[in-house]
Amino acid sequence: MRKLVVCNAVSLDGYYTGPDDDVMVLELDGAFDAYNAERLRAADILLLGRSSFEGFKGFWPPIADDPRFTDAQREVSRLDNAIDKVVVSDSLTAEQTDPWHNTRIIRRADAHQQIAELKREQGKEILVFGSRTLWSDLLANDLVDEIHLMVGPVVAAGGTPIFDHGSPLASAHRPGEPPVDAARFLRLVDTRTWDGSGNVLLRYEVRTPQEGEGNA
């Protein structure tokens, strides 16, 4: 059985991107790059939504041989290039995956079933970078096993929140009730810091609905 692991950067005030979808306001430092390489080494499938796929494809392929980038960034590029990729999209075509031809396209109507089948196979982890709309849907349908949040010392003061009102955490809240106890849905299993970095890794295991109700 494979685990499906979501790995995202987030600002201190809870934003996945800054205003105008600007991800560069986040603390994407050497620790962030090193952890991304670590996660890629533990995976054999990179699962993405179309927007994240196109952003990664437009940046990462040539970095492996570019001496202007760090060792960690060049490793991320090599691993991104080599890993099998799965993209959930109704509009992407095989021709548009160039130069990443080791890419499989899944249509949205088939995504839950096919991702569940991938999880049942033997293999390494299924890794999701970015792709918040995709993984929020997978989280709501009990297909996410872990969420790794790299929280940086940045106040974005706007943008896209990591958990919006449609997420299973936010939607569990009812008007007039106390805030949702996220421990009902997520169990903190690890934290990590790095010398010289303001980033803090929060690694959560996603509870099943039965586990969450049992700890309510």
Side-chain angles (χ1 to χ4, degrees):
M1 292 285 290
R2 289 189 174 103
K3 288 196 301 185
L4 194 153
V5 176
V6 171
C7 188
N8 277 190
V10 59
S11 69
L12 193 61
D13 53 344
Y15 286 96
Y16 165 85
T17 68
D20 301 319
D21 285 332
D22 182 9
V23 299
M24 300 311 294
V25 303
L26 303 176
E27 188 77 355
L28 309 181
D29 63 359
F32 175 79
D33 294 329
Y35 192 69
N36 286 346
E38 179 182 327
R39 295 269 44 95
L40 282 162
R41 290 193 296 268
D44 58 8
I45 293 175
L46 180 60
L47 174 64
L48 301 167
R50 175 166 182 164
S51 294
S52 291
F53 175 79
E54 290 185 329
F56 288 12
K57 181 174 69 75
F59 178 78
W60 284 111
I63 302 304
D65 300 316
D66 192 330
R68 294 174 297 175
F69 290 85
T70 67
D71 290 345
Q73 288 169 330
R74 292 197 297 271
E75 182 181 9
V76 168
S77 175
R78 289 191 297 271
L79 293 167
D80 275 341
N81 291 339
I83 196 169
D84 287 338
K85 287 161 280 287
V86 174
V87 184
V88 177
S89 173
D90 288 339
S91 55
L92 191 71
T93 65
E95 292 76 15
Q96 293 171 312
T97 65
D98 183 60
W100 277 348
H101 294 302
N102 53 344
T103 299
R104 171 183 171 187
I105 301 168
I106 293 176
R107 300 309 173 194
R108 287 184 293 178
D110 303 322
H112 294 165
Q113 177 184 345
Q114 293 195 32
I115 291 169
E117 290 173 358
L118 288 173
K119 291 187 62 179
R120 285 193 290 268
E121 295 175 357
Q122 293 299 314
K124 299 166 75 175
E125 292 175 355
I126 300 170
L127 177 63
V128 182
F129 282 152
S131 310
R132 189 191 66 92
T133 299
L134 170 62
W135 68 252
S136 293
D137 174 66
L138 299 180
L139 180 63
N141 286 276
D142 302 322
L143 289 168
V144 175
D145 297 291
E146 293 187 5
I147 299 175
H148 299 196
L149 299 179
M150 185 77 80
V151 182
V154 173
V155 175
T160 304
I162 193 76
F163 295 112
D164 64 17
H165 293 297
S167 78
L169 294 183
S171 62
H173 182 256
R174 296 177 177 84
E177 293 185 353
V180 173
D181 178 8
R184 291 174 53 194
F185 304 92
L186 303 174
R187 183 170 73 91
L188 183 66
V189 293
D190 189 25
T191 63
R192 194 188 303 185
T193 59
W194 290 261
D195 290 341
S197 172
N199 275 313
V200 177
L201 175 71
L202 304 177
R203 178 182 159 204
Y204 292 97
E205 184 180 77
V206 179
R207 297 176 184 267
T208 66
Q210 293 80 11
E211 290 171 334
E213 289 305 314
N215 289 275

